């Protein structure tokens, strides 16, 4: 496959102008390609499994706007439903039956959720779940895991993943010590470290929050027994277990990682997929806990655009599409073919790699591994990942622009797309 560098003149012009207008020229740091080098491409439009940039180049997309596009971009049934909803207005700021419909779908799907509150982002969902878990237990401290990312609220910006890890930030200036003094951290997959924290902070820990499958330190799966162990430890110490399924929700399985692994937390956060590409988040769980949220109870949380009719409409239609028989079998099959193929090609071309996939989520590290936690992930050759990313981009394959992110497939990705991707990977890795 001869590689002729793609023309990105317009992308460069637009991005140069953007950098004078917005910090780093982006609305979210990871989009700036800082850790993979080169300039980001500026999108013009997306459809199915594909992106077109402003210079007319086409790419197979494995970011899927960071998860929401699990049915493929601009799915005709989603866009048709949105067009119909648009004629009835874009925002009500008042109850609508659409919220009931999506709430029932979420409650029916996610084992831990008996009652749910909609918000506008995963960050807001994690802020809300933090407040209600502290109120319910009357305890202030939490345990999170190194490399896990729960949005950009102060309390969670401790050894966080995603863009924080991508930029190699120690955490973030502007976060007062008072906001993070109660945030305890442990290595992912390390139950002994969690038990020690509970022993050292007896009766002070409100709960444990984690990504049940990590996507923000690269792709890291839970070791056998890890999730079960956390369920037991939180019950033993009177703390709550919170699965942050903003990324894994409706992606690992229709009922999320908690359905896949058969572990039911007390609270769950959601986002991305349940909005079908429109701004959305949600937190939910046991009725006795969620009944504390205002106005039912005293725990305050609010939002102008929460539950807005457009996000509800896109979310409802997206979940309907995911309910179709065979959807998750298809996602698992094509993603396994992709992940296994990438690892095989990398090994055949002499690179130390490890990684894997679960359902429609995958990742690979340029290290022999295994990778059980963030420290292991940081052993990956991130410079090589950057060269790999650029080489794939020049061959029309759009991967997440960071070693510390996961990859996402969709119902729109075809066998031919996977074959093309593997051929491009072989070409890049043979010359890396
Ligand atoms: P948002 O506020 O970005 O909607 O959600 C925050 C969040 C919370 N929890 C998990 C597990 C998440 O993955 C996220 C956001 N994910 C990143 C991608 N790793 C969003 C992409 C970005 O920050 O631009």
């Amino acid at each position: 496959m001869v590689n002729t560098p793609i023309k990105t003149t317009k992308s460069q012009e637009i991005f140069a102008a953007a950098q004078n207008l917005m910090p780093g020229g982006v609305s979210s740091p990871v989009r700036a390609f800082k850790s993979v080098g080169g300039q980001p491409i500026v999108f013009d439009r997306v459809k199915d499994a594909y992106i077109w940039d402003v210079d007319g180049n086409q790419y197979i997309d494995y970011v899927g706007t960071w998860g929401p596009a699990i049915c493929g971009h601009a799915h005709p049934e989603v866009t048709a439903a949105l067009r119909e909803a648009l004629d009835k207005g874009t925002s009500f700021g008042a109850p609508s039956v659409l919220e009931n419909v999506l709430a029932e779908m979420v409650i029916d799907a996610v084992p831990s959720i008996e009652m749910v509150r909609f918000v506008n982002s995963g960050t807001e969902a994690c802020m809300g779940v933090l407040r209600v878990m502290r109120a319910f237990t009357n305890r202030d401290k939490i345990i999170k895991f190194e490399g896990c990312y729960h949005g950009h609220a102060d309390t969670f910006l401790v050894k966080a993943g995603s863009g924080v890890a991508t930029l190699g930030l120690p955490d973030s200036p502007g976060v007062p010590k008072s906001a993070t003094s109660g945030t305890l951290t442990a290595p992912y997959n390390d139950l002994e470290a969690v038990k020690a924290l509970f022993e050292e902070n007896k009766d002070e820990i409100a709960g444990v929050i984690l990504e049940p499958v990590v996507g923000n330190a690269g792709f890291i799966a839970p070791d056998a027994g890890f999730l079960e162990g956390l369920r037991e430890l939180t019950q033993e110490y009177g703390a709550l277990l919170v699965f942050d399924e903003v990324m894994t929700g409706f992606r690992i399985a229709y009922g999320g990682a908690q359905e896949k692994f058969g572990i039911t937390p007390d609270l769950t956060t959601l986002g991305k997929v349940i909005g079908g590409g429109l701004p959305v988040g949600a937190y939910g769980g046991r009725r006795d806990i969620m009944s504390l949220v205002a106005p039912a109870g005293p725990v305050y949380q609010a939002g102008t655009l929460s539950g807005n009719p457009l996000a509800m409409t896109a979310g409802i239609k997206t979940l309907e599409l995911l309910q179709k028989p065979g959807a998750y079998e298809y996602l698992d099959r094509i993603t396994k073919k992709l992940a296994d193929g990438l690892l095989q090609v990398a090994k055949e071309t002499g690179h130390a790699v490890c990684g894997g996939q679960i359902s429609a989520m995958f990742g690979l590290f340029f290290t022999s591994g295994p990778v059980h936690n963030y420290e292991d992930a940081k052993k990956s050759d991130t410079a090589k990942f950057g060269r790999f990313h650029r080489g794939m981009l020049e061959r029309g394959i759009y991967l997440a622009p960071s070693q510390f992110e996961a990859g996402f497939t969709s119902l729109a990705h075809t066998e031919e797309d996977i074959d093309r991707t593997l051929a491009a990977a072989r070409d890049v890795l043979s010359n890396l």
Side-chain angles (χ1 to χ4, degrees), residues 28 30-31 66 121-123 126 149-151 162 211 215-216 244 246-247 272 405:
S28 197
V30 73
R31 304 178 190 175
W66 300 101
S121 68
T123 292
C126 293
Y149 178 70
H150 306 293
S162 186
E211 297 177 53
N216 288 295
D244 178 353
V246 166
M247 185 184 281
K272 298 180 192 277
E405 294 289 354

Side-chain angles (χ1 to χ4, degrees), residues 340-353 364 366 384 387-388 392 421-432:
D340 290 354
L342 287 172
L343 292 171
Q344 184 186 341
V345 165
K347 285 169 185 163
E348 286 171 1
T349 49
H351 298 279
V353 287
L364 91 158
F366 282 108
K384 179 178 283 191
R387 297 195 301 275
F388 177 61
M392 293 293 273
T421 304
L422 295 177
R426 182 175 297 281
D427 198 33
V428 173
L429 290 164
S430 305
N431 304 290
L432 205 54

Side-chain angles (χ1 to χ4, degrees), residues 259-282:
E259 176 191 279
K260 181 95 179 174
F261 292 106
I263 302 293
T264 302
D266 301 295
L267 293 163
T268 298
T269 54
L270 296 169
K272 298 180 192 277
V273 169
I274 65 165
L278 272 74
V280 76

Side-chain angles (χ1 to χ4, degrees), residues 201-225:
N201 300 271
K202 267 199 184 315
D203 303 331
E204 295 180 82
I205 296 173
V208 176
I209 185 168
L210 73 151
E211 297 177 53
V213 176
V214 180
N216 288 295
F219 175 86
I220 303 175
D223 289 348

